[in-house]
Amino acid sequence: PGLAWRPVLLAHGWRGGPDDLAGPDPLQGRAAWGIGLTSRDVGFSAVALDRFGTIGDNAAAFSAAVADLKQRFGVERVNVVGYCKGGIDAREHVRRNDDVDRLIMVATPNAGSFLVDSMLISPNTLIWEGEDPKKVARSLREMSGPRMSSYNRHCRENPRTVYVSEAIVHSSPFANAWLPLVGLNDEFVSLFSVRSLPYAAPDAEFTSTTDPEAQAC
């Protein structure tokens, strides 16, 4: 209730792209958000962020996408769904602007990623073929525990926005191996990290080793 009369901006995560949430064709694509919003006649758009960009790198693109969505639908405020780092990029816009009514952060490392912290110990794991290793490392460091702790100190709540933090919990062998150290997790970010913002309403979705979607994440 209340969501259908505002368009939704979908913000993809680190190393991702718009199709991850919207799909190339919302009616035939693989992305559940695009399919679900289309079936409910809710207008939406997916922003194309720099897949290895920092918060600062993506700030202008995100704000431009919000402005475009507002103009297209003739509204003053929109709703935003941010997956993984897309949720952090969205928080940066929200702290400076009053045009987001509801921000839903899905698997967003609000207190950092335990996997990133471990990867930064071994720089060789940061290199992907065809990508600038320095840029990849810079974007990853921004999702580390210490950097997110520093970011959270100055990225304060916007009282005009409703924040929701949605955590995904996997029961895969990899996730279970980290369980004693970080608690429930989705193989990248812990339940605690996603829910760490004191002003966000928490929610969780559990997955299993028999769920193909869970294993594809």
Side-chain angles (χ1 to χ4, degrees), residues 75-97:
V75 296
E76 295 183 356
R77 313 192 80 206
V78 302
N79 291 313
V80 174
V81 175
Y83 172 68
C84 191
K85 185 178 174 293
I88 303 173
D89 294 335
R91 283 176 57 199
E92 178 67 13
H93 173 84
V94 168
R95 82 182 181 97
R96 298 173 181 271
N97 300 274

Side-chain angles (χ1 to χ4, degrees), residues 75-132:
V75 296
E76 295 183 356
R77 313 192 80 206
V78 302
N79 291 313
V80 174
V81 175
Y83 172 68
C84 191
K85 185 178 174 293
I88 303 173
D89 294 335
R91 283 176 57 199
E92 178 67 13
H93 173 84
V94 168
R95 82 182 181 97
R96 298 173 181 271
N97 300 274
D98 288 330
D99 51 8
V100 174
D101 186 61
R102 189 178 303 255
L103 168 58
I104 300 174
M105 300 167 287
V106 181
T108 296
N110 288 309
S113 164
F114 65 85
L115 189 59
V116 168
D117 290 340
S118 69
M119 292 171 72
L120 291 175
I121 298 174
S122 303
N124 289 337
T125 63
L126 305 180
I127 301 174
W128 277 270
E129 185 177 356
E131 300 293 347
D132 182 350

